[in-house]
Amino acid sequence: QNGVTGVRYLFDDRQQNAALVRQSGIDLTTKLVKELGGHTWASQASVSFINHIDTQDSPTSVSYLNQVNTVGSPAKWRARIDSTWGSKAWALTGAVNAVGSYVNASALGSPPVASWTTLDLNATLSPEAYFQANGWHGVSLSVIVLNVLDRDPPHAASAVATFPVTYDPTNANALGRFVAVALQKKW
């Protein structure tokens, strides 16, 4: 007997890749470095703007679905601006990260998801500038603080009741303030 005898309807709930994805947008990056009496000041700005992410579900489907700026897809714009002040012995870095607002198209009424801005700080010390022994060559000690102000990710309700995540992990994270101490050695 054939295993599909008597089957009239089939619902395929497996995750599938899109047949065609077209993305358009622009990325801008600028950097400024200035030497000031034995110290260096460096600033960089990176901005991404995505205009469309058009997705066609099958090669024969006619319609496209623009998925940009919705939960589970990249936000229309995001930016990171950072500045570092330092010397051969130390460096202090601050960075601002921003993600623009978007909508939760999978929730009833497509409610808005707020923008999200975080601040990161990093302080690095290079002991080889103070100690001449070969063992200190290439060693650095850093204290890194991500999301200094402990900003929660913006609320984005899940459309699936069995997956009660209340934020969009594509554009934010629930890590909160994160402090790390890093000891590095370059060989």
Side-chain angles (χ1 to χ4, degrees):
Q1 283 252 3
N2 189 344
V4 294
T5 302
V7 174
R8 290 185 181 208
Y9 305 102
L10 175 66
F11 177 70
D12 187 354
D13 193 29
R14 294 177 293 179
Q15 189 172 17
Q16 298 178 7
N17 290 331
L20 178 66
V21 176
R22 287 191 179 118
Q23 181 171 327
S24 65
I26 188 167
D27 293 327
L28 300 171
T29 301
T30 184
K31 187 172 187 174
L32 173 68
V33 178
K34 186 79 174 170
E35 299 291 332
L36 300 166
H39 294 88
T40 303
W41 175 55
S43 287
Q44 180 170 312
S46 299
V47 178
S48 293
F49 176 79
I50 302 173
N51 191 36
H52 286 282
I53 301 176
D54 294 326
T55 305
Q56 189 175 359
D57 292 332
S58 72
T60 57
S61 63
V62 190
S63 63
Y64 287 95
L65 176 62
N66 183 9
Q67 294 183 327
V68 73
N69 229 32
T70 60
V71 168
S73 296
K76 189 168 268 236
W77 76 269
R78 68 178 55 240
R80 178 178 171 90
I81 301 169
D82 62 68
S83 281
T84 300
W85 174 253
S87 67
K88 291 183 179 185
W90 56 271
L92 299 172
T93 302
V96 175
N97 309 287
V99 176
S101 61
Y102 50 101
V103 297
N104 189 350
S106 62
L108 185 62
S110 295
V113 177
S115 61
W116 192 48
T117 303
T118 60
L119 172 67
D120 301 336
L121 297 175
N122 182 339
T124 300
L125 181 66
S126 300
E128 75 175 300
Y130 302 101
F131 306 108
Q132 301 304 317
N134 282 340
W136 292 108
H137 181 72
V139 173
S140 65
L141 177 65
S142 299
V143 176
I144 304 155
V145 184
L146 303 178
N147 194 0
V148 171
L149 303 175
D150 199 21
R151 293 277 321 270
D152 289 333
H155 180 78
S158 173
V160 182
T162 58
F163 190 65
V165 174
T166 58
Y167 73 98
D168 178 12
T170 303
N171 293 301
N173 68 61
L175 184 61
R177 182 181 302 117
F178 180 80
V179 180
V181 176
L183 178 63
Q184 296 180 327
K185 168 74 173 165
K186 293 181 184 175
W187 302 99

